[in-house]
């Protein structure tokens, strides 16, 4: 987290490392002396004795207070006290931090002290590289101390079965709040469950959140809380009396805010860089795309020619990230453009100023950003750009013990928007990165934790787009959905975005190939695709279904037809429709009748029962002959078909049907005779009044089914001669129809 450097200032106490109790070992004191450390910082003086006395600690100290040595030194002392040297794969200590850069920094700070332990191996486990290389190194050389990020540590512990954690002495969680914010809760819990409970645990963070406190309750045993705050001087107006106040920011930090319109932010940024050319500056943006864009645009401005501008964000490859960080550390003056990746823990020497082009989404990160300067008692300054409607953020930070003073905008700042637009016209790379950066900024703005201050609906998107130097406003759903203001934006009319070329010839060549490929693919597409999709007849769709699917669909249709026909019959009986309407809807078919191979073919006219009309083609005409009555009407033959019991031609299906009928008959015979009278003894009217509409519909369906069964039984009696036609007509209520 924080590496330390000797600086006898107000940030140090009068306590020497050699005066601590319990006393430190000679090899550790020599390593401290060689590194130039003699006096302790407050957090070191309070934490090192506690951990060396085998107590768990939770440390809440301002950023830049020297927390790294506060856990590295006691870790080495505890490991030195082990009675026997550890075996190659016996893990004695684990240090977890949220980012690769922070883990690498801790590893490098700890190495001089780890080297004082005989036969002790440490390993750095972070993402960005091949996990196989880490596995091979552990297998061949062994490892007694793990330093790394939660994801890679968890992965290694899952893969390697030979690691022994039974004698682990100490676990350190650095930047604990950030570990939880980044979604590492699951991995951390998994790691902790693999470790023995009898261990020392140190939890370090610059901000204590509820999640951190919950983690402390779960992973620490009776921890001692160490809280160290910076003491700052605050002058109220022109009053001579000074008030001492505790702050979360370093004591030597001058913290300011600048209120300016969105279309002037880029000009104020460039003006600030010009006036502080000799200083070492870190500029924070909200997204990786913004870092990429400004990292390309700013070097192309003539006024910034010769400035050292280095981009750094989480989407860069690990090698590029390490190279960028090393390059900036080596500079005496330069500019680092970054995201919150570089907001925590990184100890970059001699940073003079922090400029926050965009306030952080999470307000807790504000303290960590400004903490990259004014470290270890040095002086530094920090500025945050705010829009006029975001001024409430100042009061919000004051409540969180972060005071901000107002800084006036520069009146002589050069207008760089035309220069940015000129760069976008000349190079498609600038134009595309500008659009991506702007879109990512709007979407990140929408996710602000302080949404009651940073309101998307109040964001002046037109002015923001001008500040980014866009040629035209992008088509975004956020803009259309929230009706954001586009006032203040002047699109460039004399340019076609599609005609802008890449300055890099190889990229433009590849783009031309892609455009040509798209053009050819479009030409090869058949023009009639959409009409073909909509013009497919229903029959072709049916042919694609399997036989089982067609039977299922047929069954559903048959059930619907059956229900409909019996409803018509009920309407006829209660007089809702007359006989002529019933005949046209159900009974009467206008047909041309002829025989083909002994089968009856019916051509319907006006009859809507597709179920019965389709079924007739599967049966012999003589099956229906006994149940057909007819009369002539001109050239047509009117056939009246009564409800009948049909025989299935498929013998296997008919056999199964007979079995089912027999089973139903036997089950009915076994029912107690007294059931039906009991059920029917209740008046139907009283039951109907008590039932809901849904229950009445269900009862109606059951009644229809019972009536269907009764009519088919009568039909069977007619067929075998048990009753005559007149009796059948009287019992079914169709005597008048016949």
């Amino acid at each position: 987290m924080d590496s330390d450097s000797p600086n006898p200032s107000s940030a140090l106490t009068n306590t020497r490392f050699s005066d601590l109790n319990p006393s430190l070992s000679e090899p550790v004191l020599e390593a401290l002396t060689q590194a130039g450390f003699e006096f302790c910082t407050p957090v070191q003086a309070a934490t090192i004795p506690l951990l060396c006395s085998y107590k768990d600690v939770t440390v809440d100290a301002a950023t830049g207070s020297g927390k790294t040595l506060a856990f590295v030194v006691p870790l080495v002392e505890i490991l030195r006290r082990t009675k026997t040297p550890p075996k190659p794969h016996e893990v004695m200590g684990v240090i977890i931090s949220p980012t690769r850069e922070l883990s690498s920094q801790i590893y490098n700070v700890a190495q001089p002290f780890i080297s004082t332990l005989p036969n002790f191996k440490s390993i750095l486990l972070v993402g960005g590289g091949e996990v196989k290389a880490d596995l091979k190194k552990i297998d061949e050389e062994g490892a007694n101390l793990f330093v790394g990020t939660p994801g890679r540590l968890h992965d290694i512990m899952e893969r390697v079965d030979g690691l022994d954690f039974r004698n682990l002495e100490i676990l350190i969680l650095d930047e604990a709040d950030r570990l939880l914010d980044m979604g590492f809760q699951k991995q951390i819990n998994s790691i902790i469950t693999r470790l023995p409970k009898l261990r020392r645990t140190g939890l370090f963070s610059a901000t204590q959140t509820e999640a951190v406190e919950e983690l402390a309750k779960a992973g620490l045993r009776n921890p001692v809380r160490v809280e160290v705050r910076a003491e700052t001087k605050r002058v109220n107006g022109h009053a001579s009396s000074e008030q001492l106040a505790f702050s979360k920011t370093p004591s030597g930090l001058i913290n300011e805010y600048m209120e300016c319109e969105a279309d002037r932010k880029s000009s104020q940024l460039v003006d600030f860089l010009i006036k502080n050319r000799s200083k070492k500056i870190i500029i924070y943006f909200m997204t990786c795309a913004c870092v990429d864009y400004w990292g390309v645009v700013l070097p192309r401005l003539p006024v910034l020619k010769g400035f050292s501008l280095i981009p750094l964000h989480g989407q860069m490859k690990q090698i590029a990230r390490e190279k960028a960080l090393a390059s900036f550390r080596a500079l005496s003056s330069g500019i680092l453009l970054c995201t919150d990746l570089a907001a925590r823990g990184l100890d970059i020497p001699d940073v003079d100023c922090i400029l926050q082009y965009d306030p952080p989404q999470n307000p807790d990160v504000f303290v960590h950003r400004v903490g990259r300067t004014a470290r270890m008692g040095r002086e530094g300054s920090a500025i945050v750009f705010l829009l006029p409607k975001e001024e409430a953020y100042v009061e919000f930070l004051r409540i969180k013990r972060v005071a901000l003073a107002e800084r006036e905008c520069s009146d002589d700042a050069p207008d760089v928007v035309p220069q940015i637009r000129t760069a976008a016209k000349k190079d498609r790379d600038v134009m595309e990165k500008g659009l991506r950066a702007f879109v990512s900024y709007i979407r990140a703005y929408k996710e602000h934790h302080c949404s009651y201050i940073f309101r998307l609906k109040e964001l002046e998107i037109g002015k923001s787009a001008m500040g980014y130097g866009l040629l035209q406003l992008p088509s975004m759903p956020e803009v259309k959905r929230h009706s954001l203001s586009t006032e203040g934006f002047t699109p460039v009319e004399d340019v076609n975005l599609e005609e802008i070329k890449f300055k890099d010839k190889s990229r433009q060549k590849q783009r031309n190939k892609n455009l040509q490929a798209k053009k050819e693919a479009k030409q090869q597409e058949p023009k009639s695709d959409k009409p073909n999709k909509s013009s497919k007849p229903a029959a072709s769709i049916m042919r694609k279904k399997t036989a089982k699917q067609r039977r299922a669909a047929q069954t559903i249709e048959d059930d619907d037809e059956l229900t409909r026909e019996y409803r018509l019959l009920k309407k006829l009986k209660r007089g809702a429709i007359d006989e002529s309407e019933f005949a046209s809807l159900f009974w009467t078919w206008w047909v041309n009748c002829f025989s083909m191979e002994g089968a009856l073919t019916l051509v319907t006219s006006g009859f809507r029962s597709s179920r019965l009309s389709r079924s007739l083609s599967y049966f012999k005409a003589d099956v229906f002959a006994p149940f057909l009555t007819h009369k002539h009407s001109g050239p047509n033959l009117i056939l009246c078909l009564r409800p009948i019991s049909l025989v299935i031609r498929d013998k296997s299906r008919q056999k199964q049907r007979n079995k089912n009928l027999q089973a139903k008959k036997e089950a009915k015979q076994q029912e107690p005779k007294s059931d039906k009278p009991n059920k029917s003894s209740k008046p139907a009217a009283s039951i109907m009044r008590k039932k809901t509409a849904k229950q009445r519909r269900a009862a109606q369906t059951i009644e229809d089914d019972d009536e269907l069964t009764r009519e088919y039984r009568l039909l069977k009696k007619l067929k075998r001669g048990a009753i005559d036609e007149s009796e059948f007509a009287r019992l079914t209520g169709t005597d008048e129809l016949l």
Side-chain angles (χ1 to χ4, degrees), residues 365-622:
V365 179
F366 188 97
V367 175
H368 297 279
R369 281 184 172 186
V370 300
R372 297 313 99 205
T373 187
R375 299 174 69 80
M376 296 295 296
R378 300 185 184 91
E379 292 184 354
S381 62
I383 303 171
V384 58
F385 285 169
L386 294 176
L387 302 179
K389 294 182 179 180
E390 299 169 353
E391 192 176 2
Y393 193 58
V394 178
E395 179 63 19
F396 172 78
L397 290 176
R398 189 191 66 78
I399 295 172
K400 294 177 71 68
R401 294 188 295 178
V402 179
L404 296 177
E406 186 175 3
R407 181 189 181 107
E408 296 293 334
C409 290
S410 176
D411 296 331
D412 57 348
D415 186 7
V416 297
V417 172
Q419 299 176 39
I420 296 175
R421 285 185 157 185
T422 301
K425 291 178 184 179
K426 293 180 179 180
D427 191 353
R428 189 174 191 83
D429 183 48
V430 176
M431 186 267 291
E432 289 184 349
K433 284 184 176 178
L435 289 173
R436 283 197 294 268
F438 181 72
V439 171
S440 70
Y441 166 74
I442 297 298
R443 290 175 178 170
Y445 196 93
K446 184 174 62 175
E447 302 298 328
H448 255 293
H449 290 202
C450 298
S451 57
Y452 53 90
I453 297 175
F454 300 92
R455 300 173 182 270
L456 179 63
K457 292 182 179 180
E458 296 181 359
L459 181 63
E460 296 177 308
I461 194 171
K463 291 183 179 180
S464 297
M466 282 297 290
Y468 273 76
L470 301 188
L471 302 179
Q472 294 180 8
L473 275 175
S475 179
M476 296 175 58
E478 287 82 2
V479 177
K480 297 177 182 178
R481 188 179 303 118
H482 297 285
S483 301
L484 302 183
S485 172
T486 58
E487 293 182 6
F489 182 78
T490 306
V492 178
E493 302 292 346
D494 59 340
V495 64
N496 185 354
L497 299 185
E498 294 300 323
E499 295 178 355
I500 298 177
K501 297 181 179 180
F502 286 104
K503 197 171 183 179
D504 187 340
K505 293 183 179 180
S506 61
R507 292 189 65 185
Q508 182 58 34
K509 187 177 179 180
Q510 183 61 43
R511 178 173 178 263
N512 292 337
K513 287 183 180 180
N514 295 339
L515 291 174
Q516 184 64 26
K518 288 182 180 179
K519 185 177 180 181
E520 292 175 356
K522 191 174 183 179
Q523 290 175 351
Q524 292 176 0
E525 290 179 359
K527 295 182 180 179
S528 58
D529 277 350
K530 289 187 177 179
N532 285 344
K533 289 182 181 178
S534 60
S535 62
K536 287 183 179 179
S540 63
I541 299 174
M542 288 297 291
R543 282 196 298 269
K544 290 183 178 180
K545 294 182 180 179
T546 63
K548 185 176 181 180
Q549 290 173 329
R550 289 196 296 272
R551 286 196 298 270
Q554 184 66 53
T555 302
I556 295 171
E557 188 176 348
D558 291 348
D559 292 342
D560 293 340
E561 287 286 343
L562 182 62
T563 304
R564 178 179 173 276
E565 290 164 2
Y566 270 88
R567 285 176 181 169
L568 290 173
L569 187 59
K570 287 292 182 183
K571 287 183 179 180
L572 175 64
K573 287 186 176 181
R574 65 173 181 263
I577 58 176
D578 57 18
E579 294 175 3
S580 60
E581 289 177 328
F582 177 80
S584 63
L585 293 173
F586 180 63
W587 287 103
T588 305
W589 293 343
W590 297 88
V591 299
N592 293 319
C593 185
F594 62 94
S595 179
M596 180 181 295
E597 296 183 358
L600 180 66
T601 304
L602 300 176
V603 181
T604 64
S605 172
F607 179 67
R608 301 178 185 179
S609 179
S610 60
R611 176 177 60 84
L612 292 178
S613 63
R614 280 195 304 271
S615 301
L616 291 177
S617 62
Y618 295 98
F619 300 93
K620 297 286 185 179
D622 56 359

Side-chain angles (χ1 to χ4, degrees), residues 218-248:
L220 281 70
R221 302 175 64 201
N222 301 320
V224 178
R225 180 164 182 174
V226 177
E227 186 173 0
V228 179
R229 294 299 180 197
E231 190 178 69
T232 60
K233 292 183 179 180
R234 184 175 59 192
V235 181
N236 293 330
H238 299 284
S240 58
S241 62
E242 296 181 346
Q243 295 179 344
L244 294 179
F246 288 105
S247 173
K248 287 187 176 183

Side-chain angles (χ1 to χ4, degrees), residues 1-4 68 99-109 280-282 308 310-312 318 321-336 341-351 372 375:
M1 178 180 158
D2 309 308
S3 72
D4 306 77
T68 300
T99 65
R100 304 170 190 174
E101 288 74 20
L102 185 50
S103 296
S104 300
Q105 180 176 289
I106 293 171
Y107 180 79
N108 293 330
V109 171
K280 200 169 185 178
I281 303 171
I282 298 179
S308 297
I310 301 173
L312 174 66
Q318 182 62 23
R321 287 162 62 170
E322 292 174 357
K323 185 178 179 180
L325 199 54
S327 299
F328 185 68
R329 278 193 171 119
L331 293 175
S332 59
S333 64
I335 302 164
L336 180 68
L341 173 74
R344 290 192 178 239
L346 295 183
D347 185 31
I348 302 172
D350 304 323
V351 175
R372 297 313 99 205
R375 299 174 69 80

Side-chain angles (χ1 to χ4, degrees), residues 178-377:
R178 181 64 171 165
L179 285 170
L180 301 178
D181 289 343
M182 293 176 69
F184 290 127
Q185 179 77 55
K186 184 178 179 181
Q187 289 90 335
I188 291 173
N189 289 339
S190 178
I191 291 171
I192 291 177
T193 55
R194 295 170 181 265
L195 306 181
K197 293 184 178 180
L198 294 176
R199 65 171 189 271
R200 297 283 65 76
T201 304
L203 192 149
F204 292 78
S205 179
T207 53
Q208 291 288 329
T209 63
E210 292 182 4
V212 174
E213 292 178 359
E214 290 297 323
L215 181 61
K217 292 177 182 178
L220 281 70
R221 302 175 64 201
N222 301 320
V224 178
R225 180 164 182 174
V226 177
E227 186 173 0
V228 179
R229 294 299 180 197
E231 190 178 69
T232 60
K233 292 183 179 180
R234 184 175 59 192
V235 181
N236 293 330
H238 299 284
S240 58
S241 62
E242 296 181 346
Q243 295 179 344
L244 294 179
F246 288 105
S247 173
K248 287 187 176 183
T249 56
S251 57
L253 178 66
I254 301 173
N255 218 351
E256 298 175 312
Y257 74 95
M258 181 186 293
E259 184 182 315
C260 64
E261 295 289 349
D263 56 349
R264 298 292 299 164
K265 282 176 68 175
S266 54
S267 298
Q268 292 295 328
L269 169 64
V270 172
D271 180 71
F272 178 83
L273 296 179
I274 293 172
K275 293 178 179 178
N276 295 273
R277 184 179 186 128
S278 61
K279 294 184 178 180
K280 200 169 185 178
I281 303 171
I282 298 179
I283 304 177
Y284 286 99
F285 296 93
M286 199 178 299
T287 68
C288 299
C290 291
V291 173
D292 280 335
Y293 174 58
W294 294 108
V296 170
V297 168
L298 293 178
R300 302 194 183 208
L301 301 179
V303 292
L304 296 181
K305 189 175 181 180
F307 280 68
S308 297
L309 295 151
I310 301 173
L312 174 66
H313 58 76
Q315 292 182 0
M316 297 169 62
K317 292 184 179 180
Q318 182 62 23
I319 296 175
R321 287 162 62 170
E322 292 174 357
K323 185 178 179 180
L325 199 54
S327 299
F328 185 68
R329 278 193 171 119
L331 293 175
S332 59
S333 64
I335 302 164
L336 180 68
L337 313 173
C338 61
T339 59
D340 289 337
L341 173 74
R344 290 192 178 239
L346 295 183
D347 185 31
I348 302 172
D350 304 323
V351 175
D352 299 301
C353 185
I354 303 297
L355 194 150
Q356 302 185 64
Y357 192 81
D358 304 315
Q361 284 182 310
N362 186 347
D364 292 336
V365 179
F366 188 97
V367 175
H368 297 279
R369 281 184 172 186
V370 300
R372 297 313 99 205
T373 187
R375 299 174 69 80
M376 296 295 296

Side-chain angles (χ1 to χ4, degrees), residues 642-659:
R642 305 185 188 95
I644 55 177
S645 179
L646 303 179
V647 179
I648 301 174
R649 294 185 66 181
D650 187 338
K651 294 183 178 179
S652 60
R653 292 182 64 190
Q654 180 60 35
K655 186 178 180 180
Q656 182 62 40
R657 180 172 175 272
N658 293 338
K659 286 183 179 180

Side-chain angles (χ1 to χ4, degrees), residues 74-138:
L75 179 143
V76 174
E77 285 295 327
I78 290 173
L79 297 180
R80 186 183 300 280
R81 296 175 187 175
T82 56
K83 296 180 180 179
T84 58
K87 297 177 182 178
H89 293 88
E90 186 178 8
V91 182
M92 306 296 291
V94 175
I95 301 176
I96 306 176
S97 64
T99 65
R100 304 170 190 174
E101 288 74 20
L102 185 50
S103 296
S104 300
Q105 180 176 289
I106 293 171
Y107 180 79
N108 293 330
V109 171
Q111 278 306 105
F113 301 94
I114 298 297
S115 62
T116 64
L117 298 173
N119 301 321
F120 198 91
K121 296 286 184 181
S122 61
I123 186 172
L124 176 64
L125 300 173
V126 296
E130 289 289 336
V131 68
K132 293 181 181 179
D134 294 335
L135 294 172
K136 183 179 179 181
K137 186 175 182 180
I138 293 173

